[in-house]
Each structure stands twice: as structure tokens, then as C-alpha cells.
């Protein structure tokens, strides 16, 4: 339809984050017989259903205030709990609707159109979207097994780059699975102090560590840090509960913008989160179970991939998180082009190109071990190898997989 007669013309901001063909294709995998290794959804079998029911019941009976409007920054008791955990003052804490909203808020309050934001390429899709929506101009940085290559950032800084923000995922980057090493974390903090940029430290997978050592929080190394956190991966994402810890100088701007955007984070969700987070012994037991589960799942998928692909697929057994980032060792391979054939062959993954900042990552794919039952992980690896290695043309259905896959209209 002609723009002049159309009722709606999207803004320039919307144009910067338009939907991708891959996202639309992956919406198709929610059909019987397709094993999805695509979605970034946590294991629903581990959601604390009865504790949540109890929490809602208790809260509504004891404190009808949880059904009321509340303050923009978050309910005081939850802010205090968060402040204690981060060893900061409650006045630095803002409770958000998931860490995605924290990323959006930090982008809105710091970026003007065209301002540079440096981040790893491949990058976390939600952060790419938030920074682009706010008008940020993305600067791609290389990454390896120790996370973002800070010496490459330093070179760019010496060459004149002046980013407003540098975005890092501390533990188990999505999609690469890499953890920023302690020495790189220190180096990054020094550069922030020297060149005056703000670090956005996102760390949703820290608790889902089944081996190795965590990276030190950047906030312990520099004052120029916004820490972004979520309970989506350890409790459940439907609560949409996250938070940010911000430098004092930023606090008022963030609170003002949040008020304009949604008044405050859902009071009931904050009450439920606080109830679960502070129930004696609950979180430590729950997290221990999750670590055992995700560790087992990672090992099942990786050993099936090794069996099915031999040396044709390069990947590392992750120390935590939910993903395996793998490179197909075949000249000219294009995992995005392989995806429709894989879906026809009964398995879905996210091709590397979905995480593009500037590089296409055509030889790469991201496989999630979070939600599929172990036998589906093994069968998924078999189907994947058939598609990738044998040029399997598909068309055949695989009704053998046990559970219907989770919906993957979102594959963050
Ligand atoms: C690196 C990273 N950051 C942030 C998020 C967003 O999480 P939420 O908005 O549910 O807190 C995700 C979710 O997949 C993620 O992988």
C-alpha cells in the first residue's frame, strides 16, 4: 500500500530492528516431530510451580499491597535484598521487567543517534536490538575462548574510537558460551577508567555453572559499570523480573525514563521474586539441582555431537549456561542455508548469522541443551549430522521424538 494512504508508517527506530528471515523460519519448528535445539528457553520441568503457588497465595492473603501500584525503582525490601547481594546501596538499584528492560533503559539514557556501542561479534540478539532501537551504532569486537578480546578494543581506542558503552556478557556468553577471563576483566575496567566509557555487564547465566571458575564482576573493578541481572534463568522467565545497579550519576535519568515507559515493575512479580529469593534454603537447593541438570544435558549433547560428527564439528564442552557454539568444518558451509533442510529433517538450530553484528558467522550454529529430553538431544545430534554431513534433503518426518518441542518464536 502507498505510504501516503496507509494508516501506519513505522518510525525510523522500528526500521532499525526489523524482524529477520531466520526468526520467521524458526517459528515453524513448533510442530510435531521437530526436535528444537534452537530456543533459548530454560527447562520448564524445573520451574518451582508449587513454591510459586504458595508464594502468590501467601502474598495476596497477607499483603494486598502486592496488588497495588508501587514505586518506579522497585519495592524497598527487594531493592534491599539486591543491594546486599551486590554490596551496594539500595539507592543504586532499579528493579526492571527482566534484564531486557534494563538493557533498553541503559541504551535510552546513554545513547544519542549514531553513538558507538562496542560489543562482541557474534552478539546477544536482545542487546543488539536494544542498542539499535536507541540509535546506537554498533562496533563489532572479536571474541575467543576467554571472551571479548580486550586488546582489540584497546587498539580501536588508540585509533580514536570513543564508545559510549561497551557491552559484555560476563559468564557463558550467548551465543559463544565464553566467560570473560579475570585478566581481561581487569584490563577492560582499566580502559573504562582511562577512556571514560561505561561498561554494561550482563550476567544471566552465572549461577548455571557446572565447572570452572567465575569471572570477577566488573563492578568490583570500576565505578563506570552498570550491572544488569535477571532471575529468568534460575527461577522462570515468565515473571519478567530483573534489575540493574547503576552509578549514582545515572540513577535519576534511569528512574525518569522507566517511569515514562511503564511506571514500575509489576508489584506482584516483585513480591513473588522476593518470596522465593529469601525463602530459607530454597534458592541454594534449587540452583544445585539446576547445575546438575544443565551439566548432564551439556554432556549428553556434546558426546552425541562428537559421536555423530567426528572431527567435522568444532566445539567445546561448556562450563555452564545453556548453549553449545559449534563450527562446521566444511569449506563453504552456510548454516543459514542448511536450516530449512534441517527443519525438514526434524531438527532445528539457530544459525550463526542470527547473531551477526557485522560478520556473518556462516560456518557456525548455536545449539541449546536446555529444554530437550536427553534422548531428543542424542537424536537431534543424529539428525543434524545427517543434514550437515550427508546433504540429507529432508521431507521425511520424525514422529519418534518424545515431547513436542517448546515454542521458539523467541530464540534469544
Ligand atoms: C545474555 C542475555 N542477556 C539478557 C537476556 C534477557 O533475559 P530476561 O529479559 O529474561 O531477563 C538473555 C536471555 O536470553 C540473555 O541471554
Amino acid at each position: 500500500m502507498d505510504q501516503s494512504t496507509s494508516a501506519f508508517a513505522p518510525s525510523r527506530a522500528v526500521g532499525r530492528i526489523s524482524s529477520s528471515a531466520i526468526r520467521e523460519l524458526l517459528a515453524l519448528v513448533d510442530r510435531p516431530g521437530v526436535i528444537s535445539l534452537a530456543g533459548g528457553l530454560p527447562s520448564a520441568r524445573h520451574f518451582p510451580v508449587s513454591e510459586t503457588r504458595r508464594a502468590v497465595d501467601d502474598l495476596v492473603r497477607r499483603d494486598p499491597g502486592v496488588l497495588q501500584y508501587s514505586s518506579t525503582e522497585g519495592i524497598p525490601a527487594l531493592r534491599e535484598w539486591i543491594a546486599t547481594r551486590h554490596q551496594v546501596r539500595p539507592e543504586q538499584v532499579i528493579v526492571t521487567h527482566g534484564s531486557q528492560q534494563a538493557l533498553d533503559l541503559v541504551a535510552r539514557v546513554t545513547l544519542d543517534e549514531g553513538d558507538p556501542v562496542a560489543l562482541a561479534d557474534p552478539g546477544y540478539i536482545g542487546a543488539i536490538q536494544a542498542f539499535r532501537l536507541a540509535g546506537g551504532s554498533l562496533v563489532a569486537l572479536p571474541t575467543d575462548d576467554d571472551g571479548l578480546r580486550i586488546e582489540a578494543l584497546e587498539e580501536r581506542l588508540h585509533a580514536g574510537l570513543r564508545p559510549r558503552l561497551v557491552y559484555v556478557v560476563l559468564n557463558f556468553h550467548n551465543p559463544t558460551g565464553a566467560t570473560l577471563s579475570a585478566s581481561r576483566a581487569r584490563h577492560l575496567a582499566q580502559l573504562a577508567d582511562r577512556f571514560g566509557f561505561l561498561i554494561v555487564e550482563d550476567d544471566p547465566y552465572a549461577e548455571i555453572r557446572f565447572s570452572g571458575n567465575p569471572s570477577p564482576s566488573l563492578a568490583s573493578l570500576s565505578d563506570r559499570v552498570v550491572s544488569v541481572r535477571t532471575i529468568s534463568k534460575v527461577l522462570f522467565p515468565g515473571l519478567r523480573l530483573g534489575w540493574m545497579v547503576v552509578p549514582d550519576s545515572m540513577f535519576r535519568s534511569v528512574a525518569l525514563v522507566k517511569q515514562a515507559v511503564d511506571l514500575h515493575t509489576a508489584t506482584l512479580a516483585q513480591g513473588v521474586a522476593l518470596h522465593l529469593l529469601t525463602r530459607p534454603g530454597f534458592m541454594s537447593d534449587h540452583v544445585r539441582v539446576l547445575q546438575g541438570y544443565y551439566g548432564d544435558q551439556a554432556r549428553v549433547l556434546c558426546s552425541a555431537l562428537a559421536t555423530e560428527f567426528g572431527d567435522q564439528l568444532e566445539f567445546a564442552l561448556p562450563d555452564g549456561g545453556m548453549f553449545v557454539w559449534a563450527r562446521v568444518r566444511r569449506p563453504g558451509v552456510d548454516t543459514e542455508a542448511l536450516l530449512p533442510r534441517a527443519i525438514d529433517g526434524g531438527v532445528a538450530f539457530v544459525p550463526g548469522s542470527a547473531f551477526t553484528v557485522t560478520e556473518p558467522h556462516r560456518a557456525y550454529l548455536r545449539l541449546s541443551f536446555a529444554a530437550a529430553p536427553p534422548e531428543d538431544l542424542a537424536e537431534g545430534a543424529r539428525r543434524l549430522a545427517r543434514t550437515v554431513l550427508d546433504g540429507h534433503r529432508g521431507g521425511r518426518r520424525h514422529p519418534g521424538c518424545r515431547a513436542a518441542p517448546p515454542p521458539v518464536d523467541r530464540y534469544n
Side-chain angles (χ1 to χ4, degrees), residues 3-4 17 35 48 81 97 117-118 184 186 202 212 216 237 259 273 289 291-292 312 314 318 330 347 350 396:
Q3 289 261 315
S4 58
I17 58 161
I35 294 172
W81 183 88
H97 278 118
V117 179
R184 287 193 185 173
R186 279 192 298 275
D202 188 6
Q259 188 168 44
V289 170
Q291 288 166 340
Q312 296 296 294
E314 185 185 327
R330 293 238 146 157
V347 65
V350 185
R396 202 144 62 88

Side-chain angles (χ1 to χ4, degrees), residues 25-26 33 47 76 80 82 133 164 175 201 340 359 376 393:
L25 199 56
L26 284 172
F47 291 162
E80 266 159 40
I82 293 166
L133 185 67
R164 295 279 293 171
E201 166 197 85
E359 291 290 319
D376 282 5
R393 290 283 153 192

